[in-house]
Amino acid sequence: MGAHLMPSGAAAPLSTSKGAGLAETEHMFFYPDKDATNVSVRQFVNAELGGTGLANMVKNAAEESIKKHGAFTLVLSGGSLLKALGKLVGMKGVDYAKWHVFYADERNVPHDSDDCTHKGAHEAFLSKVAIPEQQVHKLREGLNVQDAATEYAGQLLGLDPSVLPRNSEGFPVFDLILLGVGPDGHVASLFPNRTQTSAREGWVLPIADSPKPPPERITLTMPAINSARHVAVVAFGAGKAEIVQRVLEAARLAPRSPVSAPLLPARPQTIGRPSISQSRQARDLLVARAVDKTETVDVDAIVKDLQTKWDGVENKTSVVVYAGGAVVLLWLSSSLVGAVNAVPLLPKLLELVGLGYTSWFVYRYLLFKSSREELLQDVDELKRKIAGAAQDAKKSTSSKSSGSSF
Ligand SMILES: O=C1O[C@H](COP(=O)(O)O)[C@@H](O)[C@H](O)[C@H]1O
Protein backbone atom coordinates (compact mmCIF):
# COMPACT_ATOMS: atom_id res chain seq x y z
CA MET A 1 0.00 0.00 0.00
CA GLY A 2 1.12 3.53 -0.61
CA ALA A 3 1.68 6.28 1.93
CA HIS A 4 -1.27 7.62 3.90
CA LEU A 5 -1.42 11.37 3.95
CA MET A 6 -2.63 13.28 6.96
CA PRO A 7 -4.40 16.64 6.53
CA SER A 8 -1.04 18.31 7.09
CA GLY A 9 0.35 16.39 4.11
CA ALA A 10 2.65 14.26 6.31
CA ALA A 11 2.58 10.46 5.99
CA ALA A 12 0.39 8.79 8.60
CA PRO A 13 1.42 5.58 10.41
CA LEU A 14 0.02 2.35 8.96
CA SER A 15 -1.65 0.78 11.99
CA THR A 16 -5.40 1.21 12.30
CA SER A 17 -5.61 -0.37 15.75
CA LYS A 18 -7.40 1.48 18.53
CA GLY A 19 -7.32 1.26 22.28
CA ALA A 20 -9.24 -1.62 23.81
CA GLY A 21 -12.53 -0.74 25.47
CA LEU A 22 -13.54 1.92 22.95
CA ALA A 23 -16.79 0.92 21.28
CA GLU A 24 -16.60 3.35 18.41
CA THR A 25 -13.72 5.44 17.18
CA GLU A 26 -12.87 7.81 14.37
CA HIS A 27 -11.12 6.10 11.47
CA MET A 28 -7.67 7.60 11.36
CA PHE A 29 -7.46 7.68 7.57
CA PHE A 30 -10.71 9.50 7.04
CA TYR A 31 -10.71 13.26 6.67
CA PRO A 32 -14.20 14.41 5.87
CA ASP A 33 -14.44 17.25 3.44
CA LYS A 34 -17.93 18.50 4.15
CA ASP A 35 -18.23 20.27 0.79
CA ALA A 36 -17.33 17.25 -1.25
CA THR A 37 -18.80 14.25 0.48
CA ASN A 38 -21.27 13.32 3.14
CA VAL A 39 -19.77 9.94 3.94
CA SER A 40 -19.10 9.24 7.59
CA VAL A 41 -16.82 6.47 8.79
CA ARG A 42 -17.69 4.68 12.01
CA GLN A 43 -15.04 2.36 13.33
CA PHE A 44 -15.69 -0.25 16.02
CA VAL A 45 -13.04 -2.13 17.93
CA ASN A 46 -14.52 -5.54 17.11
CA ALA A 47 -17.25 -7.20 15.07
CA GLU A 48 -19.40 -7.79 18.17
CA LEU A 49 -19.62 -4.06 18.93
CA GLY A 50 -19.87 -3.34 15.21
CA GLY A 51 -22.96 -5.60 15.04
CA THR A 52 -24.58 -3.67 17.88
CA GLY A 53 -23.72 -0.34 16.20
CA LEU A 54 -25.20 -1.63 12.93
CA ALA A 55 -28.41 -2.88 14.60
CA ASN A 56 -28.90 0.49 16.34
CA MET A 57 -28.34 2.31 13.08
CA VAL A 58 -30.95 0.14 11.29
CA LYS A 59 -33.44 0.60 14.14
CA ASN A 60 -33.03 4.40 14.08
CA ALA A 61 -33.35 4.53 10.29
CA ALA A 62 -36.54 2.43 10.55
CA GLU A 63 -38.07 4.77 13.14
CA GLU A 64 -37.23 7.84 11.07
CA SER A 65 -38.64 6.35 7.83
CA ILE A 66 -41.84 5.08 9.43
CA LYS A 67 -42.43 8.55 10.88
CA LYS A 68 -41.79 10.07 7.48
CA HIS A 69 -43.74 7.84 5.06
CA GLY A 70 -45.29 5.06 7.11
CA ALA A 71 -42.92 2.33 5.88
CA PHE A 72 -39.28 1.27 6.07
CA THR A 73 -37.58 -0.16 2.99
CA LEU A 74 -34.42 -2.06 3.92
CA VAL A 75 -32.11 -3.52 1.28
CA LEU A 76 -29.72 -6.30 2.26
CA SER A 77 -26.71 -7.78 0.60
CA GLY A 78 -25.12 -11.11 1.41
CA GLY A 79 -22.02 -12.56 2.96
CA SER A 80 -20.73 -11.82 6.45
CA LEU A 81 -23.03 -8.81 6.87
CA LEU A 82 -26.02 -11.07 7.54
CA LYS A 83 -24.55 -12.51 10.72
CA ALA A 84 -24.07 -9.00 12.12
CA LEU A 85 -27.78 -8.34 11.54
CA GLY A 86 -28.57 -11.02 14.12
CA LYS A 87 -28.19 -8.23 16.71
CA LEU A 88 -31.58 -6.88 15.58
CA VAL A 89 -33.30 -9.89 17.09
CA GLY A 90 -34.84 -9.07 20.48
CA MET A 91 -34.52 -5.30 20.10
CA LYS A 92 -37.47 -3.64 21.78
CA GLY A 93 -39.90 -1.15 20.18
CA VAL A 94 -39.34 -2.08 16.52
CA ASP A 95 -42.45 -1.86 14.30
CA TYR A 96 -41.60 -4.80 12.00
CA ALA A 97 -45.08 -4.78 10.43
CA LYS A 98 -44.02 -1.70 8.45
CA TRP A 99 -40.73 -3.13 7.19
CA HIS A 100 -40.19 -4.14 3.54
CA VAL A 101 -37.05 -6.13 2.81
CA PHE A 102 -35.20 -6.37 -0.52
CA TYR A 103 -31.87 -7.66 -1.77
CA ALA A 104 -29.15 -5.47 -3.25
CA ASP A 105 -27.94 -8.62 -4.97
CA GLU A 106 -28.93 -12.26 -4.95
CA ARG A 107 -27.50 -15.41 -6.39
CA ASN A 108 -29.63 -17.24 -8.99
CA VAL A 109 -29.82 -20.47 -6.97
CA PRO A 110 -32.63 -22.39 -5.21
CA HIS A 111 -33.83 -20.82 -1.94
CA ASP A 112 -32.51 -23.77 0.07
CA SER A 113 -28.98 -23.43 -1.32
CA ASP A 114 -26.27 -22.29 1.08
CA ASP A 115 -25.31 -19.73 -1.60
CA CYS A 116 -28.74 -18.08 -1.38
CA THR A 117 -28.56 -14.71 0.36
CA HIS A 118 -32.22 -14.91 1.34
CA LYS A 119 -31.52 -18.21 3.11
CA GLY A 120 -28.71 -16.53 5.09
CA ALA A 121 -30.90 -13.54 5.96
CA HIS A 122 -33.79 -15.80 6.95
CA GLU A 123 -31.58 -17.82 9.29
CA ALA A 124 -29.82 -14.80 10.77
CA PHE A 125 -32.84 -12.67 11.56
CA LEU A 126 -35.86 -12.68 9.20
CA SER A 127 -37.21 -15.91 10.71
CA LYS A 128 -36.95 -14.40 14.22
CA VAL A 129 -38.79 -11.10 13.69
CA ALA A 130 -42.37 -10.32 12.65
CA ILE A 131 -41.95 -8.89 9.13
CA PRO A 132 -44.97 -9.97 7.03
CA GLU A 133 -43.89 -12.69 4.57
CA GLN A 134 -45.25 -10.82 1.50
CA GLN A 135 -43.07 -7.80 2.43
CA VAL A 136 -39.85 -9.80 2.01
CA HIS A 137 -38.99 -9.54 -1.68
CA LYS A 138 -37.12 -12.66 -2.79
CA LEU A 139 -35.68 -13.55 -6.19
CA ARG A 140 -37.98 -15.96 -8.04
CA GLU A 141 -36.45 -19.48 -8.22
CA GLY A 142 -35.96 -21.53 -11.38
CA LEU A 143 -35.70 -18.74 -14.01
CA ASN A 144 -32.76 -18.01 -16.28
CA VAL A 145 -30.74 -15.10 -14.91
CA GLN A 146 -32.03 -12.54 -17.43
CA ASP A 147 -35.67 -13.39 -16.64
CA ALA A 148 -34.94 -13.49 -12.90
CA ALA A 149 -33.56 -9.91 -13.07
CA THR A 150 -36.57 -8.70 -15.08
CA GLU A 151 -38.97 -10.39 -12.65
CA TYR A 152 -37.21 -8.81 -9.65
CA ALA A 153 -37.29 -5.35 -11.23
CA GLY A 154 -41.02 -5.96 -11.81
CA GLN A 155 -41.53 -6.70 -8.08
CA LEU A 156 -39.93 -3.34 -7.22
CA LEU A 157 -41.74 -1.36 -9.91
CA GLY A 158 -45.05 -2.82 -8.76
CA LEU A 159 -44.76 -1.31 -5.29
CA ASP A 160 -46.84 1.66 -4.30
CA PRO A 161 -44.73 4.87 -4.43
CA SER A 162 -45.80 5.62 -0.85
CA VAL A 163 -43.72 2.58 0.12
CA LEU A 164 -40.98 2.91 -2.51
CA PRO A 165 -40.84 6.46 -3.90
CA ARG A 166 -38.89 7.35 -7.07
CA ASN A 167 -36.64 10.35 -7.55
CA SER A 168 -36.78 12.88 -10.38
CA GLU A 169 -34.69 10.55 -12.57
CA GLY A 170 -37.06 7.65 -11.98
CA PHE A 171 -34.80 5.65 -9.68
CA PRO A 172 -36.15 4.00 -6.50
CA VAL A 173 -35.49 5.79 -3.21
CA PHE A 174 -34.90 3.01 -0.67
CA ASP A 175 -34.65 4.10 2.97
CA LEU A 176 -31.52 2.12 3.81
CA ILE A 177 -29.24 -0.05 1.70
CA LEU A 178 -26.74 -2.20 3.58
CA LEU A 179 -23.79 -3.23 1.47
CA GLY A 180 -21.12 -5.73 2.34
CA VAL A 181 -17.82 -5.42 0.53
CA GLY A 182 -15.52 -8.02 -0.95
CA PRO A 183 -11.76 -7.83 -0.47
CA ASP A 184 -11.62 -6.83 -4.18
CA GLY A 185 -13.91 -3.86 -3.48
CA HIS A 186 -17.11 -5.25 -4.99
CA VAL A 187 -20.41 -4.18 -3.49
CA ALA A 188 -23.73 -5.92 -4.20
CA SER A 189 -22.68 -7.87 -7.33
CA LEU A 190 -20.96 -4.88 -8.94
CA PHE A 191 -17.36 -5.91 -9.43
CA PRO A 192 -14.49 -3.54 -10.20
CA ASN A 193 -13.74 -3.12 -13.90
CA ARG A 194 -16.94 -4.82 -15.05
CA THR A 195 -19.30 -3.08 -17.47
CA GLN A 196 -22.31 -3.59 -15.18
CA THR A 197 -20.61 -1.46 -12.53
CA SER A 198 -20.71 1.62 -14.72
CA ALA A 199 -24.29 1.08 -15.98
CA ARG A 200 -26.24 4.32 -15.64
CA GLU A 201 -29.68 2.98 -16.54
CA GLY A 202 -32.09 0.43 -15.09
CA TRP A 203 -32.77 -0.70 -11.52
CA VAL A 204 -31.73 -4.35 -11.66
CA LEU A 205 -29.14 -6.12 -13.82
CA PRO A 206 -28.42 -9.79 -14.51
CA ILE A 207 -24.85 -11.01 -14.01
CA ALA A 208 -24.10 -14.22 -15.92
CA ASP A 209 -20.38 -14.56 -15.19
CA SER A 210 -19.62 -13.25 -11.73
CA PRO A 211 -15.88 -13.47 -10.96
CA LYS A 212 -16.90 -14.76 -7.53
CA PRO A 213 -18.98 -17.94 -7.52
CA PRO A 214 -21.80 -18.66 -8.02
CA PRO A 215 -21.61 -17.10 -11.49
CA GLU A 216 -25.30 -16.19 -11.94
CA ARG A 217 -26.60 -13.28 -9.89
CA ILE A 218 -28.82 -10.23 -10.06
CA THR A 219 -27.78 -6.87 -8.69
CA LEU A 220 -29.12 -3.36 -8.17
CA THR A 221 -27.41 -0.86 -10.45
CA MET A 222 -25.10 1.83 -9.07
CA PRO A 223 -27.61 4.67 -9.75
CA ALA A 224 -30.34 2.66 -7.97
CA ILE A 225 -28.00 2.28 -4.98
CA ASN A 226 -27.01 5.95 -5.10
CA SER A 227 -30.59 7.11 -5.05
CA ALA A 228 -31.21 5.61 -1.61
CA ARG A 229 -31.73 7.88 1.38
CA HIS A 230 -29.05 6.05 3.39
CA VAL A 231 -26.36 3.68 2.22
CA ALA A 232 -24.14 1.91 4.73
CA VAL A 233 -21.15 -0.13 3.69
CA VAL A 234 -20.32 -2.69 6.36
CA ALA A 235 -16.75 -3.96 6.37
CA PHE A 236 -16.04 -6.08 9.42
CA GLY A 237 -12.87 -8.09 9.89
CA ALA A 238 -9.19 -7.98 9.08
CA GLY A 239 -9.79 -9.24 5.53
CA LYS A 240 -11.52 -5.97 4.66
CA ALA A 241 -8.96 -3.60 6.16
CA GLU A 242 -6.87 -3.10 3.05
CA ILE A 243 -9.71 -2.40 0.63
CA VAL A 244 -11.35 -0.01 3.12
CA GLN A 245 -8.12 1.90 3.42
CA ARG A 246 -7.52 1.99 -0.32
CA VAL A 247 -10.99 3.30 -1.01
CA LEU A 248 -10.76 5.95 1.69
CA GLU A 249 -7.46 7.09 0.24
CA ALA A 250 -8.94 7.17 -3.27
CA ALA A 251 -11.84 9.23 -1.95
CA ARG A 252 -9.38 11.56 -0.24
CA LEU A 253 -7.09 11.96 -3.22
CA ALA A 254 -9.90 12.61 -5.70
CA PRO A 255 -12.73 13.94 -3.52
CA ARG A 256 -14.73 15.48 -6.32
CA SER A 257 -14.77 12.56 -8.72
CA PRO A 258 -16.57 9.24 -8.20
CA VAL A 259 -14.29 6.72 -6.51
CA SER A 260 -12.96 4.03 -8.81
CA ALA A 261 -13.65 0.97 -6.66
CA PRO A 262 -17.37 0.70 -6.02
CA LEU A 263 -17.01 0.53 -2.24
CA LEU A 264 -18.31 3.97 -1.53
CA PRO A 265 -21.09 4.39 -4.02
CA ALA A 266 -20.08 7.00 -6.54
CA ARG A 267 -21.69 10.34 -5.84
CA PRO A 268 -23.99 11.65 -8.52
CA GLN A 269 -21.86 13.47 -11.05
CA THR A 270 -22.73 17.05 -10.19
CA ILE A 271 -20.36 19.90 -10.74
CA GLY A 272 -19.77 22.12 -7.71
CA ARG A 273 -21.41 21.74 -4.33
CA PRO A 274 -23.94 18.97 -3.81
CA SER A 275 -27.57 20.09 -3.94
CA ILE A 276 -29.63 20.02 -0.74
CA SER A 277 -31.36 16.76 -1.62
CA GLN A 278 -28.03 15.08 -2.35
CA SER A 279 -26.39 16.28 0.83
CA ARG A 280 -29.34 14.92 2.80
CA GLN A 281 -28.46 11.43 1.58
CA ALA A 282 -26.32 9.82 4.22
CA ARG A 283 -23.46 7.48 3.52
CA ASP A 284 -21.95 5.42 6.29
CA LEU A 285 -18.99 3.13 6.27
CA LEU A 286 -18.96 0.84 9.28
CA VAL A 287 -15.67 -0.90 9.91
CA ALA A 288 -14.56 -3.19 12.72
CA ARG A 289 -11.44 -5.09 13.54
CA ALA A 290 -11.94 -8.86 13.79
CA VAL A 291 -11.22 -10.23 17.23
CA ASP A 292 -11.02 -13.97 17.20
CA LYS A 293 -11.86 -15.57 20.56
CA THR A 294 -8.74 -17.72 20.28
CA GLU A 295 -6.69 -14.53 20.25
CA THR A 296 -7.82 -13.44 23.72
CA VAL A 297 -5.14 -13.71 26.38
CA ASP A 298 -5.90 -15.25 29.78
CA VAL A 299 -3.64 -13.08 31.95
CA ASP A 300 -4.59 -14.97 35.16
CA ALA A 301 -3.48 -18.29 33.67
CA ILE A 302 -0.16 -16.80 32.55
CA VAL A 303 0.52 -15.30 36.00
CA LYS A 304 -0.37 -18.61 37.72
CA ASP A 305 1.88 -20.55 35.36
CA LEU A 306 4.80 -18.18 36.01
CA GLN A 307 4.18 -18.42 39.78
CA THR A 308 4.32 -22.25 39.69
CA LYS A 309 7.52 -22.17 37.63
CA TRP A 310 9.13 -19.62 39.96
CA ASP A 311 8.17 -21.67 43.05
CA GLY A 312 9.93 -24.67 41.47
CA VAL A 313 13.26 -22.80 41.07
CA GLU A 314 15.75 -23.95 43.77
CA ASN A 315 18.42 -21.25 43.60
CA LYS A 316 16.42 -18.05 43.14
CA THR A 317 19.38 -15.73 43.90
CA SER A 318 21.44 -17.12 40.99
CA VAL A 319 18.48 -16.81 38.63
CA VAL A 320 18.05 -13.15 39.59
CA VAL A 321 21.79 -12.51 39.07
CA TYR A 322 21.81 -14.30 35.66
CA ALA A 323 18.66 -12.49 34.55
CA GLY A 324 20.19 -9.16 35.54
CA GLY A 325 23.34 -10.10 33.62
CA ALA A 326 21.26 -10.96 30.56
CA VAL A 327 19.58 -7.56 30.65
CA VAL A 328 22.95 -5.81 30.91
CA LEU A 329 24.31 -7.91 28.01
CA LEU A 330 21.26 -7.06 25.92
CA TRP A 331 21.72 -3.39 26.69
CA LEU A 332 25.45 -3.56 25.85
CA SER A 333 24.83 -5.37 22.59
CA SER A 334 22.12 -2.92 21.54
CA SER A 335 24.53 -0.05 22.23
CA LEU A 336 27.15 -1.88 20.18
CA VAL A 337 24.73 -2.36 17.28
CA GLY A 338 23.87 1.35 17.51
CA ALA A 339 27.55 2.29 17.39
CA VAL A 340 28.19 -0.04 14.43
CA ASN A 341 25.23 1.42 12.57
CA ALA A 342 26.68 4.89 12.97
CA VAL A 343 29.88 3.97 11.08
CA PRO A 344 29.44 4.58 7.31
CA LEU A 345 29.50 1.40 5.15
CA LEU A 346 30.21 -0.88 8.14
CA PRO A 347 26.63 -2.17 8.52
CA LYS A 348 26.53 -3.14 4.80
CA LEU A 349 29.95 -4.80 5.11
CA LEU A 350 28.78 -6.81 8.12
CA GLU A 351 25.62 -7.80 6.26
CA LEU A 352 27.84 -9.13 3.44
CA VAL A 353 29.96 -11.06 5.94
CA GLY A 354 26.77 -12.55 7.46
CA LEU A 355 25.45 -13.48 4.03
CA GLY A 356 28.76 -15.06 3.06
CA TYR A 357 28.93 -17.07 6.27
CA THR A 358 25.30 -18.22 5.93
CA SER A 359 25.92 -19.39 2.37
CA TRP A 360 29.05 -21.24 3.43
CA PHE A 361 27.19 -22.88 6.37
CA VAL A 362 24.33 -24.03 4.11
CA TYR A 363 26.81 -25.47 1.60
CA ARG A 364 29.04 -27.07 4.24
CA TYR A 365 26.43 -28.55 6.62
CA LEU A 366 22.90 -28.50 5.18
CA LEU A 367 23.06 -29.24 1.45
CA PHE A 368 24.25 -32.88 1.51
CA LYS A 369 22.89 -35.74 3.60
CA SER A 370 26.36 -36.85 4.79
CA SER A 371 27.24 -33.33 6.01
CA ARG A 372 23.86 -32.98 7.77
CA GLU A 373 24.64 -36.22 9.68
CA GLU A 374 28.07 -34.84 10.50
CA LEU A 375 26.46 -31.68 11.89
CA LEU A 376 24.11 -33.72 14.07
CA GLN A 377 27.07 -35.72 15.42
CA ASP A 378 28.92 -32.50 16.24
CA VAL A 379 25.87 -31.13 18.04
CA ASP A 380 25.53 -34.36 20.08
CA GLU A 381 29.21 -34.22 20.95
CA LEU A 382 28.86 -30.62 22.08
CA LYS A 383 25.82 -31.48 24.21
CA ARG A 384 27.78 -34.35 25.84
CA LYS A 385 30.70 -32.02 26.60
CA ILE A 386 28.45 -29.37 28.14
CA ALA A 387 26.58 -31.97 30.24
CA GLY A 388 29.94 -33.55 31.31
CA ALA A 389 31.41 -30.17 32.28
CA ALA A 390 28.32 -29.36 34.30
CA GLN A 391 28.51 -32.70 36.14
CA ASP A 392 32.24 -32.19 36.84
CA ALA A 393 31.53 -28.73 38.21
CA LYS A 394 28.77 -30.16 40.45
CA LYS A 395 31.09 -32.93 41.72
CA SER A 396 33.92 -30.51 42.56
CA THR A 397 31.50 -28.15 44.39
CA SER A 398 30.11 -31.02 46.49
CA SER A 399 33.62 -32.41 47.26
CA LYS A 400 34.78 -28.90 48.26
CA SER A 401 31.82 -28.40 50.54
CA SER A 402 32.27 -31.90 52.07
CA GLY A 403 36.03 -31.09 52.50
CA SER A 404 35.32 -27.94 54.43
CA SER A 405 33.20 -29.83 56.91
CA PHE A 406 36.30 -31.77 58.07
O1 LIG B 1 -20.63 -12.26 -3.07
C1 LIG B 1 -20.89 -11.42 -2.26
O2 LIG B 1 -19.90 -10.88 -1.47
C2 LIG B 1 -20.04 -9.63 -0.81
C3 LIG B 1 -19.08 -9.65 0.38
O3 LIG B 1 -19.26 -10.83 1.14
P1 LIG B 1 -18.38 -11.15 2.44
O4 LIG B 1 -18.77 -12.55 2.85
O5 LIG B 1 -16.94 -11.04 2.05
O6 LIG B 1 -18.75 -10.15 3.47
C4 LIG B 1 -21.47 -9.38 -0.41
O7 LIG B 1 -21.62 -8.10 0.11
C5 LIG B 1 -22.37 -9.59 -1.61
O8 LIG B 1 -23.70 -9.28 -1.30
C6 LIG B 1 -22.28 -11.02 -2.00
O9 LIG B 1 -23.13 -11.39 -3.04
Side-chain angles (χ1 to χ4, degrees):
M1 266 190 286
H4 310 280
L5 299 182
M6 298 198 284
S8 63
L14 272 176
S15 163
T16 57
S17 63
K18 295 285 169 188
L22 294 173
E24 196 176 333
T25 62
E26 282 286 303
H27 191 284
M28 66 192 293
F29 295 124
F30 184 66
Y31 321 105
D33 176 345
K34 295 277 184 279
D35 279 352
T37 174
N38 47 358
V39 176
S40 70
V41 180
R42 304 173 60 187
Q43 178 171 266
F44 300 88
V45 289
N46 59 40
E48 177 77 11
L49 293 169
T52 307
L54 173 67
N56 283 325
M57 193 190 81
V58 176
K59 186 181 176 226
N60 293 339
E63 267 169 25
E64 189 195 301
S65 303
I66 291 168
K67 231 182 255 165
K68 204 171 167 158
H69 68 110
F72 174 52
T73 49
L74 172 66
V75 183
L76 306 176
S77 41
S80 51
L81 162 76
L82 298 173
K83 204 174 142 212
L85 284 173
K87 292 273 180 196
L88 278 167
V89 178
M91 276 192 147
K92 300 265 177 306
V94 185
D95 190 358
Y96 284 116
K98 305 226 167 69
W99 285 38
H100 298 253
V101 174
F102 308 85
Y103 292 99
D105 71 320
E106 176 60 287
R107 291 89 182 267
N108 193 25
V109 294
H111 289 169
D112 60 0
S113 159
D114 285 341
D115 282 328
C116 176
T117 295
H118 171 67
K119 183 184 181 216
H122 186 77
E123 285 169 359
F125 96 107
L126 291 178
S127 59
K128 299 168 190 162
V129 296
I131 302 173
E133 171 76 27
Q134 70 280 11
Q135 290 173 204
V136 177
H137 295 273
K138 309 183 270 281
L139 187 68
R140 171 91 64 85
E141 287 176 295
L143 298 178
N144 68 52
V145 71
Q146 173 67 61
D147 290 349
T150 309
E151 196 278 336
Y152 201 67
Q155 287 192 40
L156 306 186
L157 282 158
L159 283 166
D160 193 293
S162 64
V163 173
L164 184 59
R166 286 112 216 235
N167 65 15
S168 56
E169 289 164 282
F171 286 108
V173 182
F174 291 104
D175 291 316
L176 173 62
I177 299 187
L178 297 179
L179 297 174
V181 56
D184 57 354
H186 80 271
V187 290
S189 281
L190 296 168
F191 291 85
N193 305 316
R194 286 288 177 117
T195 47
Q196 294 96 347
T197 304
S198 49
R200 292 286 166 260
E201 280 170 17
W203 293 18
V204 181
L205 285 179
I207 309 278
D209 58 348
S210 158
K212 177 180 171 181
E216 290 199 354
R217 294 146 175 254
I218 61 111
T219 182
L220 289 184
T221 58
M222 200 57 105
I225 292 174
N226 264 328
S227 302
R229 203 163 283 128
H230 295 268
V231 177
V233 178
V234 183
F236 290 168
K240 309 285 164 77
E242 179 168 351
I243 187 65
V244 165
Q245 207 149 298
R246 278 172 50 199
V247 172
L248 288 176
E249 284 171 2
R252 173 69 185 161
L253 293 173
R256 278 166 213 285
S257 56
V259 291
S260 49
L263 168 54
L264 297 182
R267 288 178 297 281
Q269 306 219 19
T270 337
I271 298 173
R273 297 167 73 90
S275 71
I276 301 209
S277 64
Q278 282 158 11
S279 54
R280 262 203 222 118
Q281 294 170 322
R283 302 289 183 252
D284 274 294
L285 170 61
L286 281 79
V287 291
R289 279 194 296 143
V291 175
D292 187 348
K293 280 221 169 70
T294 53
E295 272 180 29
T296 56
V297 179
D298 186 346
V299 180
D300 279 355
I302 294 175
V303 171
K304 257 188 211 144
D305 188 39
L306 281 175
Q307 183 71 51
T308 322
K309 286 196 171 116
W310 180 247
D311 290 345
V313 173
E314 280 174 18
N315 192 345
K316 294 190 173 61
T317 322
S318 319
V319 172
V320 171
V321 170
Y322 286 140
V327 171
V328 171
L329 266 180
L330 201 66
W331 176 73
L332 277 177
S333 49
S334 73
S335 311
L336 192 66
V337 170
V340 165
N341 267 338
V343 180
L345 288 183
L346 196 54
K348 284 281 160 232
L349 200 67
L350 291 179
E351 265 175 42
L352 274 180
V353 171
L355 203 64
Y357 184 75
T358 309
S359 316
W360 173 82
F361 186 86
V362 170
Y363 172 77
R364 172 67 184 82
Y365 285 114
L366 301 179
L367 206 53
F368 306 107
K369 189 166 182 265
S370 57
S371 43
R372 283 197 297 274
E373 282 165 1
E374 193 189 327
L375 177 65
L376 285 176
Q377 276 170 14
D378 285 353
V379 171
D380 280 346
E381 179 60 23
L382 189 63
K383 278 203 287 197
R384 262 198 305 280
K385 277 186 185 158
I386 293 170
Q391 270 170 7
D392 289 351
K394 211 172 168 187
K395 266 186 212 152
S396 82
T397 326
S398 60
S399 65
K400 266 187 204 154
S401 56
S402 52
S404 65
S405 67
F406 279 110

